[in-house]
Amino acid sequence: MAQPQSGTDTRQGPGSKPSEEGRNVNGATGPLGRAAASALSVREGFRGACVFLTGATGYVGSLVLEQILRVCPEVDRVYVLSRGKKSASARERVDRLLQMGLFHKLWDSPDVLAKVHVIEGDITKEGLSLSMEDSKEVLRNTTILIHSAATVALDDHIQHAVKNNYMATRNVLELCVHMSQLKAYLHVSTAYVGVAHGKGSTVLEKIYPLMDGDQVVDHQEVAYELLRMPEKEAAERCTMYLKRWNMANTYCLSKHLAEQLVVSYHRKPFPVCIVRPSMITGLAGSPYPGYLGNLAGGGGYTIAYALGFFEKNGDAWYPQSVIDIIPGDVVSSVVLAAAASTVKAPLREHEPMIFHATSSTTYPATSYEMYLYAQRFFTANRPPFCLLPFGYPDYPADYVPCPYRLWFAKSCTSVKVHALCYLMRLFGKARAAQRLYTGWKAWAYGNCERHDFDLYFSCANTKALDRALMEDERKDIRCLWTRQTGDWNRYFRTHMAGILKLFLKKDARTDDHDFKFIISRQAPLSTNDDKVAN
């Protein structure tokens, strides 16, 4: 993508003609609008269900697991797929997860926690490397499968991204084919599979196939081609594909291919649905406002700002660009509601339903707003250390990224980070230095104009899903982030207070937020080692 010259904004303006997708956005509500007349109960959808969950030790998966147990305590059991590591077994990793503050509302409900059954396996292996006993049990009992595991690094080598996001999904789906009781497969994707659209476009809740001219590209052929090539040649081939299909990075491409794979399994014999979150940030509400499980995406950019990575003229994004972020509890709510809806009655027979968990068309925020929120908060609540000794720079509302100034600002940050990492290693802080360096690399990669998407993600299906929810479940299941259900100003202060405490180990000086630190429990919580009798 060509860089605009200093002082020139080449994007579509607010008064430009909307895209064809934008004009037809209301047309996506038809089937759901008719189905919304019958009330949807998430609790009823999960009552007595045997759920198989991948990615539970990741951020989204952990939120889904907690919300299932808290909101749907009459679920029969939740099979949690986990991979053992040198430092901890699969069970130890899940036990450690259940001890975290995220699960504090369940600590006094051991009978509910006992419904978590750890299954050791690996999604990158055929059959998920399940033992014969575990395989028989999950194939016989699973009624809902939620696949949230993925590698989320934006710039992974394409072969690693395809292996973990495409081939792993194929392995999960192949297992699903043999699940005799399966009623729904839910795939957690990303809204950014739609980044091929131009700035200011509206991305609908539908599949946009990759095209070579007028021909639809076969997702399997692309994936297998990239995997069988030598590593260097695969990277070169991928670079060509990213440019041809206007994909921002290998993460977006691998998730796009995986979505098309999922669609090919619809009704074979189980229905599938897809949830597409945008940039996932901390929780807005229950069970732990401000909690954030990792620093991927929005959390990473927030801590990068706090640490002073953004020099003057060092922001690659236009101030008025819509930046789509979404609280994590909204994402997990959409996952639960979408799964329950698919179990109850799939709303389309011949194609899977796609639900966006996004904010750009329900309660849009801009880069400028978020920058100001961060500037105000971290000026009042300084982190333990910051690369900017004289305070955070201003980000004017008419700012336009200038390529050479941006390069100079990022270079200054690079010099500071390398010097600080060197000093930290000298004083025995090698691990902290490596974390700082890794964070800087991720920020330097993400802070570029091609990641200033400025897209609007339609939520027509998700709005209809929300309308169908039973009224008494809306408190626990919040599928939409709107001006009525949310407050960006309050939320960002809560989000930043959480980051300050959870990752920088410092309490906020101000109390104009909802974050309250919850200390993890130490005693093991998951003690059910026996298989459930059928």
Side-chain angles (χ1 to χ4, degrees):
M1 185 180 297
Q3 296 275 6
Q5 297 301 312
S6 176
T8 303
D9 188 343
T10 59
R11 303 171 307 156
Q12 293 179 346
S16 59
K17 186 177 180 181
S19 64
E20 199 67 34
E21 291 89 350
R23 291 196 298 273
N24 292 331
V25 69
N26 292 328
T29 63
L32 272 168
R34 293 191 294 272
S38 58
L40 170 66
S41 171
V42 172
R43 293 192 184 100
E44 192 61 35
F46 281 87
R47 187 188 303 275
C50 292
V51 181
F52 190 103
L53 175 64
T54 72
T57 54
Y59 182 41
V60 174
S62 67
L63 301 182
V64 170
L65 175 60
E66 191 280 337
Q67 197 168 13
I68 289 174
L69 296 174
R70 175 170 51 86
V71 177
C72 309
E74 293 182 349
V75 66
D76 183 60
R77 73 198 76 165
V78 182
Y79 297 119
V80 171
L81 185 73
S82 179
R83 182 177 56 188
K85 293 186 175 181
K86 290 183 180 179
S87 59
S89 68
R91 175 165 293 282
E92 288 170 336
R93 294 181 68 201
V94 176
D95 282 343
R96 191 179 303 158
L97 172 69
L98 297 177
Q99 296 163 26
M100 296 174 64
L102 174 66
F103 288 82
H104 74 99
K105 290 194 172 184
L106 296 162
W107 287 345
D108 293 331
S109 303
D111 55 329
V112 176
L113 288 171
K115 296 184 178 187
V116 176
H117 293 261
V118 181
I119 302 292
E120 185 163 4
D122 185 343
I123 60 172
T124 65
K125 308 293 184 183
E126 289 190 15
L128 311 190
S129 286
L130 302 183
S131 69
M132 184 175 296
E133 181 183 359
D134 286 342
S135 180
K136 287 181 179 178
E137 181 173 342
V138 299
L139 292 180
R140 181 170 57 243
N141 297 327
T142 301
T143 53
I144 300 173
L145 193 143
I146 300 173
H147 179 41
S148 71
T151 178
V152 296
L154 299 181
D155 60 344
D156 257 348
H157 187 281
I158 187 58
Q159 290 180 332
H160 185 263
V162 169
K163 178 182 177 182
N164 285 275
N165 292 341
Y166 181 89
M167 298 303 293
T169 299
R170 187 206 65 171
N171 294 336
V172 173
L173 286 164
E174 281 299 300
L175 191 71
C176 288
V177 170
H178 303 287
M179 292 178 173
S180 58
Q181 304 298 319
L182 190 64
K183 297 179 180 179
Y185 168 94
L186 185 143
H187 183 78
V188 179
S189 184
T190 172
Y192 295 104
V193 297
V195 296
H197 292 69
K199 288 175 182 281
S201 299
T202 299
V203 181
L204 301 183
E205 294 160 300
K206 61 180 250 183
I207 296 293
Y208 293 93
L210 300 174
M211 304 292 293
D212 281 339
D214 62 348
Q215 298 298 307
V216 175
V217 176
D218 188 297
H219 55 88
Q220 181 172 285
E221 289 181 2
V222 174
Y224 283 38
E225 172 203 29
L226 291 169
L227 287 174
R228 69 171 177 260
M229 297 177 76
E231 186 175 312
K232 182 179 179 181
E233 284 81 347
E236 293 170 348
R237 185 72 172 170
C238 177
T239 299
M240 182 268 289
Y241 282 150
L242 294 179
K243 291 180 179 179
R244 175 184 298 177
W245 296 320
N246 198 24
M247 285 284 170
N249 46 57
T250 56
Y251 171 69
C252 293
L253 177 58
S254 63
K255 295 294 281 187
H256 196 296
L257 295 171
E259 274 199 7
Q260 295 180 72
L261 173 68
V262 169
V263 171
S264 71
Y265 277 79
H266 186 51
R267 291 293 182 188
K268 295 182 179 179
F270 48 87
V272 308
C273 67
I274 297 171
V275 172
R276 290 177 178 166
S278 55
M279 196 180 300
I280 308 171
T281 49
L283 303 191
S286 191
Y288 191 172
Y291 173 81
L292 182 65
N294 62 40
L295 289 178
Y301 292 125
T302 302
I303 202 169
Y305 182 88
L307 297 180
F309 285 7
F310 286 94
E311 298 266 355
K312 186 176 182 180
N313 298 312
D315 198 324
W317 305 319
Y318 288 84
Q320 302 309 323
S321 289
V322 171
I323 183 162
D324 200 308
I325 65 172
I326 192 74
D329 46 325
V330 177
V331 175
S332 58
S333 290
V334 175
V335 168
L336 265 64
S341 172
T342 305
V343 168
K344 178 185 176 184
L347 299 169
R348 287 178 184 155
E349 288 295 321
H350 304 297
E351 59 179 305
M353 291 302 304
I354 298 175
F355 302 94
H356 281 165
T358 55
S359 63
S360 53
T361 57
T362 61
Y363 190 6
T366 65
S367 297
Y368 182 64
E369 289 177 287
M370 289 200 293
Y371 195 96
L372 291 182
Y373 288 141
Q375 184 185 51
R376 292 165 186 159
F377 182 86
F378 290 115
T379 297
N381 302 275
R382 295 284 289 186
F385 67 92
C386 179
L387 299 176
L388 298 172
F390 304 111
Y392 300 99
D394 290 329
Y395 182 45
D398 59 352
Y399 171 82
V400 175
C402 172
Y404 76 84
R405 289 179 180 171
L406 179 62
W407 172 86
F408 180 77
K410 292 174 70 172
S411 297
C412 288
T413 302
S414 173
V415 170
K416 291 180 182 180
V417 169
H418 280 82
L420 183 58
C421 287
Y422 176 75
L423 291 174
M424 292 171 73
R425 291 188 180 98
L426 283 181
F427 288 96
K429 302 290 185 180
R431 186 175 180 182
Q434 184 59 43
R435 287 200 298 266
L436 177 63
Y437 180 76
T438 301
W440 165 76
K441 281 190 68 177
W443 167 81
Y445 177 82
N447 184 37
C448 62
E449 196 192 345
R450 74 173 179 272
H451 290 128
D452 177 21
F453 300 125
D454 193 26
L455 291 172
Y456 293 88
F457 297 103
S458 169
C459 284
N461 290 346
T462 308
K463 286 181 178 179
L465 186 69
D466 179 73
R467 289 196 301 270
L469 279 175
M470 293 186 67
E471 196 62 36
D472 63 350
E473 296 187 8
R474 290 182 176 277
K475 180 180 177 181
D476 295 318
I477 304 292
R478 175 166 50 173
C479 294
L480 295 173
W481 183 251
T482 69
R483 294 172 179 87
Q484 289 73 40
T485 62
D487 178 352
W488 279 131
N489 197 2
R490 184 80 179 184
Y491 168 74
F492 274 117
R493 292 196 297 269
T494 301
H495 171 60
M496 293 172 197
I499 286 178
L500 190 65
K501 179 63 176 178
L502 296 171
F503 295 96
L504 298 177
K505 311 304 180 186
K506 184 175 180 179
D507 293 311
R509 296 174 59 189
T510 57
D511 59 0
D512 53 350
H513 56 81
D514 299 320
F515 176 78
K516 292 182 180 179
F517 180 58
I518 300 172
I519 300 174
S520 298
R521 281 185 29 161
Q522 299 301 317
L525 298 177
S526 174
T527 57
N528 189 350
D529 289 315
D530 299 324
K531 298 296 177 187
V532 175
N534 298 294

